[in-house]
Amino acid sequence: MLLKKHFRHYYLKYILSFLLGIAILVVIDWYQLEIPRLLKVIIDGVENLSLTSFKDIWPTVLKIIIIAVAVTIGRFLWRILLIGTSRKIETDIRQEMFKHASKLDQSFYTKEKVGGLMTYFINDLSSVRELYGFGLLMIVDGLVLGIFVLIRMFQLDYKMTLYALIPIVLMGVVIFLLNQKMEKKFKLRQDAFEEMSHFAQESFSGIAVIKAYVREASEAFGFKKKSFDVYQKSMDYMHYFVIVNIIIESIINVIVIAIIAFGSLLIARGEMSSGELTEYVSYFFTLLWPVFAISWFLSINGQAQASATRIYEFLETKPIVFDQEDVLKDICLNGEITFKNLSFKYEDSDELILKKLNFKINAGEMVGIIGRTGSGKSTIVELLLHLHNVKKGMLYFDKIDQNEIALKTLRNHLGYVPQDNFLFSETIKENINFAFDEVDEEKTINVAKLADVHVDISEFKEGYETILGERGTTISGGQKQRLSIARALIKDPVILILDDAVSAVDMHTEEAIIKNLKKLRKGQTTIFIAHRISTVKNLDKIIVIDEGEIKAIGTHKELLKTSGLYKHLANLQKLEDMIGEEISYV
Ligand code: ATP
Ligand code: MG
């Protein structure tokens, strides 16, 4: 199928522009063939002395000029209409792809590398545009013009045309085969170029590691190899390109010479006039374009169809997490959360990551979840955000099963500070206000103060207008964490989840933030995920988790007596405090 479902729909959307473009194309292609005929009139007229002066020739010359101008304007119009529409379709498909990408789940992004996804958006989409835009235009033009020229050629001399068709078709086949090989070489050059860009990009991102390990020279050598590969592939492509052009030109010359020789014979026999031969040769030159166009279209077709299939499959990928029918949309949650015998494993793994979790967080409670690295804390957060599906009857918000709450409604109730503190390459203000389109400046400053980052921001030259580098590299890890907290606080969510959100700040700052949060979030559910005892020790309830199982639940005082693991963590913390630096407890 030339046009797949998603693309067909867009062609229908712009059908009027397409039809208009094609109509102009057909008229123009027909009229441009009048020029050889008029040339014949002049040449034959001069030869048989019916046209003797410039005054006699002038009206025909004027006609040729008018047709040439009309053809140029018409060609401009249909190209604008057809190419412009294909650009519009490309933009629409890109928009649909982006919208679709944001609907896909966490699990899709774990499997699919970002680089691979970008290939759909850049390489595949441009191949599809080339095929369905320029390619379609070439095939329509090629076929229409080709048929018109052949009609004229047959009208003029069907015998000579039959003979000429054999080398022309052969030439088409040769061009098709050469083009296919050339496309492959072009692709190899493209791949080499992408590999070199990727290498450079990674080197720039990891420049600190390269310097620390004194690997500058070896990186430069690595780059030289990639760069040389690009050079070799480019030269290979260029050589091939030049050879292909010479071969094609030679074939054309041979055919033209044959036509002229055969035509001259006909003229000598009085079976053809010089004007007719000129007209015929003009038609032959006009026929070259359709031959090129159709062969080129056929040679790019395979690769572009493969790209179209990839885009199509991507657009057909269904999210695993989506709203079931009759989900509750207009509800207000109070912040109570219940885990009932909840077990969980990731989509493509057999290992149970969470095992029979049973606990309840009352509305308004401040709860800590503490555990060693890899114990399943962030997995709990991802389940609360409904980034993965859990079976019915395992997770409740205010006694309502999570599966019965609309995703948007649930997430609107949640505030989330992610463990990796992702920030966008925008201004600090935009990052903090991320949840809203417009926010009072006062509100932004207030949450920044509560997250203890206002002083840091004020010290930046541009203050809240400071633009953060890629993934916020111009600021420290602790500053990133606190901006991330401010971003969640501005939402004033019913449930706030902080996933290891104060791990990169010092004890003093941590204390200040927790104090602020306790005051601000009084009566609102707040969940602190933590490694350190200091983060959770003053909270209402602490849940100790290890290897996906709950080991103990209680207050700091109770756990010191009842949980061996908690006591172990507490002792490690004491040791850390004593030596004044962090040590890992794993
Ligand atoms: P940390 O304190 O280091 O952040 P954590 O307690 O948050 O650790 P999780 O991120 O929840 O731990 O991971 C728990 C387990 O689940 C780990 O063994 C991890 O390898 C596994 N895991 C995490 N994400 C996935 C995933 N997308 N697919 C499969 N397994 C995963
Ligand atoms: Mg984690």
Side-chain angles (χ1 to χ4, degrees), residues 96-272:
E96 184 182 340
M97 284 167 73
F98 189 81
K99 238 166 110 184
H100 183 71
S102 56
K103 275 193 213 143
L104 292 173
D105 323 287
Q106 191 85 343
S107 53
F108 173 83
Y109 287 95
T110 326
K111 269 186 276 163
E112 193 83 23
K113 293 277 163 288
V114 175
L117 204 55
M118 289 314 290
T119 311
Y120 296 155
F121 277 82
I122 299 169
N123 301 7
D124 288 334
L125 199 53
S126 85
S127 290
V128 167
R129 187 201 62 226
E130 202 173 17
L131 178 72
Y132 293 156
F134 201 61
L136 199 75
L137 179 156
M138 284 180 82
I139 196 91
V140 172
D141 190 30
L143 285 174
V144 170
L145 191 62
I147 290 168
F148 286 172
V149 176
L150 283 174
I151 291 174
R152 297 264 175 135
M153 284 170 90
F154 272 109
Q155 278 173 349
L156 210 62
D157 195 314
Y158 78 93
K159 225 184 196 168
M160 191 152 82
T161 307
L162 277 180
Y163 288 139
L165 263 184
I166 300 168
I168 288 172
V169 170
L170 278 178
M171 184 174 78
V173 174
V174 171
I175 296 175
F176 165 71
L177 294 174
L178 293 176
N179 264 348
Q180 241 186 357
K181 185 110 196 263
M182 199 150 77
E183 281 293 323
K184 275 192 195 131
K185 291 197 178 283
F186 181 74
K187 176 100 191 10
L188 285 178
R189 190 186 77 160
Q190 247 357 47
D191 290 348
F193 189 78
E194 264 169 39
E195 213 168 292
M196 183 186 73
S197 315
H198 179 73
F199 185 90
Q201 207 179 349
E202 204 170 63
S203 293
F204 299 149
S205 313
I207 192 74
V209 180
I210 293 170
K211 279 183 190 297
Y213 285 81
V214 201
R215 299 297 292 167
E216 289 96 331
S218 80
E219 283 292 301
F221 182 68
F223 185 76
K224 194 175 163 193
K225 274 208 309 208
K226 304 266 175 214
S227 174
F228 187 67
D229 193 34
V230 173
Y231 164 76
Q232 273 185 325
K233 304 255 159 73
S234 301
M235 288 308 280
D236 194 24
Y237 173 71
M238 202 192 65
H239 285 152
Y240 197 76
F241 184 79
V242 171
I243 291 170
V244 165
N245 273 315
I246 291 174
I247 293 176
I248 293 173
E249 265 173 41
S250 309
I251 298 176
I252 293 171
N253 286 339
V254 169
I255 302 176
V256 171
I257 290 169
I259 291 176
I260 291 176
F262 191 68
S264 306
L265 209 71
L266 294 179
I267 295 174
R269 280 200 219 142
E271 290 170 22
M272 191 182 234

Side-chain angles (χ1 to χ4, degrees), residues 58 81 147 447 540 542 572 580:
W58 172 240
L81 278 168
I147 290 168
V447 289
D540 303 332
I542 303 162
L572 277 172

